[in-house]
Amino acid sequence: MAAERKAPSTIYGVNSFCPGCGHGIVVRLVAEVVEEMGLAENTIGVLAVGCSCLTNRYLALDLLQAAHGRAAASAGAIKRCRPEKLVFTYQGDGDAASIGIAETLYSAQRNEGFTQIIVNNGVYGMTGGQMSPTTLVGQKTTTSVKGRDPQVAGMPLKISELISNFDVAYLARGSVHNAANIRKTKKYIQKAFETQMNQGGYTCVEVISPCPTNWHLTPIQAVDRIENEVLAYYPLGEFTKGGVR
């Protein structure tokens, strides 16, 4: 009989994300890695505006709520002041790749010593499901009711590919749409945190996540969409390890 899998001690309540949302899984992975590394008392997280800010309701770590798009700038300042701390941001694709894209890219360009967690669900989740930088071509949202038209809105932004142009310490894209990829994504987060603490430099894990509510799909249909559609445009894997592309 398999041993009971207990929630990390830093999770003290039930999450308030929508049914089938991937945010709860990603936060759980972050909490597991922090606890397994023995850094629960030595970690500072910076939350973005959006669904990610709901994390402060049930994650017992030192957390700062940043202004919209400014999580990376805030984390960079914290890490410079407290270099001994594990510092990470927790952001959605709209926050990190739209209003906060300057903060994201210049943090990577400067090789700032924190970890950026970017949850990519292809929409602005909290504000009603508007088109985000990562919305796929043809995807219908409240602001692209006929589907994203690349002639009008351009092609979906590949934030990890943009970051890969800089000399960063670690960069990967994972997903939480099935058990195998959840395990891989946890390893990516662990490598990012370990690299930050042991080697230094900018580290980032982008996580492909389902948003059944704003995709207007069931949770099962949402994970199937990731497997059959999303990953063709956003392939998974490590872009940079130990500063080597």
Side-chain angles (χ1 to χ4, degrees), residues 3-17:
E4 181 182 359
R5 188 174 182 85
K6 296 182 179 180
S9 60
T10 52
I11 292 181
Y12 63 89
V14 178
N15 79 67
S16 53
F17 298 116

Side-chain angles (χ1 to χ4, degrees), residues 23 49-51 68 92-101 119-135 139 141-143 148 211 213-215:
H23 271 291
V49 171
C51 295
H68 200 181
D93 53 285
D95 185 272
S98 182
I99 189 171
I101 190 161
V119 181
N120 176 0
N121 59 19
V123 291
Y124 283 93
M126 177 174 279
T127 54
Q130 296 90 346
M131 182 176 65
S132 83
T134 59
T135 299
Q139 182 177 341
T141 73
T142 57
T143 52
R148 180 178 187 144
C211 183
T213 297
N214 289 302
W215 292 358

Side-chain angles (χ1 to χ4, degrees), residues 160 170-174 188-189 204-207 236-240:
S160 288
Y170 183 80
L171 173 64
R173 179 188 287 132
Y188 296 158
I189 294 171
C204 177
V205 180
E206 178 189 358
V207 184
L236 307 180
E238 295 173 304
F239 293 79
T240 305

Side-chain angles (χ1 to χ4, degrees), residues 47 74 90 92 108 117 119 126 194:
L47 304 180
S74 300
Y90 189 79
I117 306 292
V119 181
M126 177 174 279
E194 289 176 345

Side-chain angles (χ1 to χ4, degrees), residues 10 27 29-47 55 59-64 75 78-79 82-90 114-115 117 189 193-194 196-197:
T10 52
V27 174
L29 297 181
V30 170
E32 286 184 358
V33 172
V34 167
E35 185 169 279
E36 290 166 10
M37 292 178 67
L39 293 174
E41 302 297 322
N42 201 37
T43 295
I44 301 174
V46 183
L47 304 180
T55 301
L59 185 61
L61 296 173
D62 288 331
L63 299 172
L64 170 72
I78 292 170
K79 186 67 177 184
R82 300 299 300 272
E84 79 282 3
K85 297 289 187 180
L86 172 67
V87 180
F88 71 92
T89 71
Y90 189 79
F114 66 91
T115 300
I117 306 292
I189 294 171
F193 286 174
E194 289 176 345
Q196 177 188 155
M197 299 304 288

Side-chain angles (χ1 to χ4, degrees), residues 110-172:
R110 293 192 301 267
N111 202 23
E112 296 281 357
F114 66 91
T115 300
Q116 202 163 0
I117 306 292
I118 302 174
V119 181
N120 176 0
N121 59 19
V123 291
Y124 283 93
M126 177 174 279
T127 54
Q130 296 90 346
M131 182 176 65
S132 83
T134 59
T135 299
L136 294 183
V137 171
Q139 182 177 341
K140 295 180 180 180
T141 73
T142 57
T143 52
S144 58
V145 293
K146 295 182 179 180
R148 180 178 187 144
D149 181 355
Q151 297 299 317
V152 175
M155 292 296 291
L157 186 70
K158 293 187 173 184
I159 189 65
S160 288
E161 282 81 352
L162 280 178
I163 294 171
S164 70
N165 288 291
F166 302 111
D167 293 325
V168 301
Y170 183 80
L171 173 64

